[in-house]
Amino acid sequence: MSPQQACLYVFNEFAIAKGVGKKTLAVLLKYLYPQKILRVKTCKSGKPFIVDEDGCASHLYVSISHSNSTLVILLANIECGVDIEFMRYPEKMLSVYAWVTHPEDRVENLTAKEFLRSWTLKEAWLKLKSFGLEFGLDNIRVEGLNRFYEQQAIEINKELLHAQFFSVAHSDQTCVLSEEPLTLRKIAMTVDTQTGLAMPKLSDKESEP
């Protein structure tokens, strides 16, 4: 099976506020597809989706996440989910892990990396499946999560999915999850606050893992 294509657009040092993800996505779509009229809509779960000028669903699938001052927007030709997290309260790691993890899935001698991988994987799964947090992170059963491999097939709630783990800022953990393998490009972006235009950062090159 040939990998599907996806791009992860990374906005660092970004002023995060309510609704900024969808607003930035709209700006990004204007940059990527200047000849098309694409609009951002939201389903009942809060997941964004893209429609054309006639209101028909486009061929693009999208997932958005932000943490601290970093915003990531994933565009792909298949359903996908992305999540980014930073370790903001290390003193609460063990208690939060127990709260969001089924007792049979918990590991001993938990590390920060394992915690963030588990957290971002579950959040990405919720977005992939268009579920909200009310589903319960502890109801997401995970088998085969490896703390060393950056790309791996993982069984989540009895379904085999494909995960990629990496960092896009300093000390973050980002996870991209999909039903099929993805060839992922990561592109650093910026938004001109004066014009509202999105563009690649001139000092950064597109990179492939």
Side-chain angles (χ1 to χ4, degrees):
M1 179 185 298
S2 299
Q4 301 290 336
Q5 305 296 313
C7 285
L8 184 74
Y9 298 92
V10 182
F11 299 83
N12 281 312
E13 301 177 2
F14 206 69
I16 302 298
K18 185 177 180 180
V20 70
K22 286 182 285 188
K23 291 178 181 177
T24 305
L25 172 59
V27 172
L28 178 63
L29 291 173
K30 290 181 180 180
Y31 166 76
L32 295 173
Y33 304 97
Q35 304 303 320
K36 296 183 179 181
I37 298 176
L38 298 174
R39 298 184 175 89
V40 181
K41 301 290 185 179
T42 306
C43 65
K44 291 183 179 180
S45 69
K47 182 176 181 176
F49 64 96
I50 301 168
V51 299
D52 60 22
E53 58 185 318
D54 297 319
C56 300
S58 76
H59 66 285
L60 288 172
Y61 295 92
V62 61
S63 185
I64 301 172
S65 182
H66 60 76
S67 185
N68 286 1
S69 60
T70 300
L71 169 71
V72 291
I73 298 177
L74 179 64
L75 292 177
N77 55 0
I78 59 172
E79 285 282 10
C80 53
V82 65
D83 190 58
I84 179 173
E85 298 291 344
F86 291 82
M87 181 62 77
R88 287 173 287 180
Y89 305 104
E91 70 279 4
K92 298 181 179 179
M93 181 181 75
L94 293 179
S95 60
V96 172
Y97 180 72
W99 174 52
V100 302
T101 308
H102 191 279
E104 295 181 10
D105 296 340
R106 295 172 190 167
V107 300
E108 297 181 358
N109 302 316
L110 181 73
T111 66
K113 186 174 184 178
E114 287 173 318
F115 171 73
L116 288 176
R117 280 201 169 191
S118 176
W119 184 280
T120 56
L121 178 68
K122 292 185 175 189
E123 289 261 14
W125 184 86
L126 290 175
K127 295 174 183 178
L128 172 67
K129 298 299 181 181
S130 298
F131 293 150
L133 286 172
E134 64 274 8
F135 181 88
L137 294 180
D138 59 327
N139 289 321
I140 305 174
R141 303 297 306 277
V142 178
E143 295 184 26
L145 177 58
N146 187 293
R147 61 178 172 176
F148 299 109
Y149 298 146
E150 293 183 353
Q151 299 187 38
Q152 51 187 292
I154 303 174
E155 190 173 290
I156 305 178
N157 285 2
K158 304 301 181 181
E159 180 185 13
L160 191 64
L161 299 170
H162 298 270
Q164 296 186 43
F165 298 98
F166 48 87
S167 175
V168 298
H170 297 293
S171 71
D172 75 286
Q173 177 69 83
T174 300
C175 175
V176 168
L177 190 67
S178 56
E179 295 178 351
E180 300 177 35
L182 282 178
T183 296
L184 183 66
R185 299 173 63 200
K186 299 186 286 288
I187 305 174
M189 299 291 292
T190 185
V191 172
D192 189 316
T193 57
Q194 299 295 321
T195 62
L197 297 177
M199 63 193 72
K201 282 189 175 181
L202 296 179
S203 59
D204 293 327
K205 296 182 179 179
E206 299 179 4
S207 63
E208 295 186 17

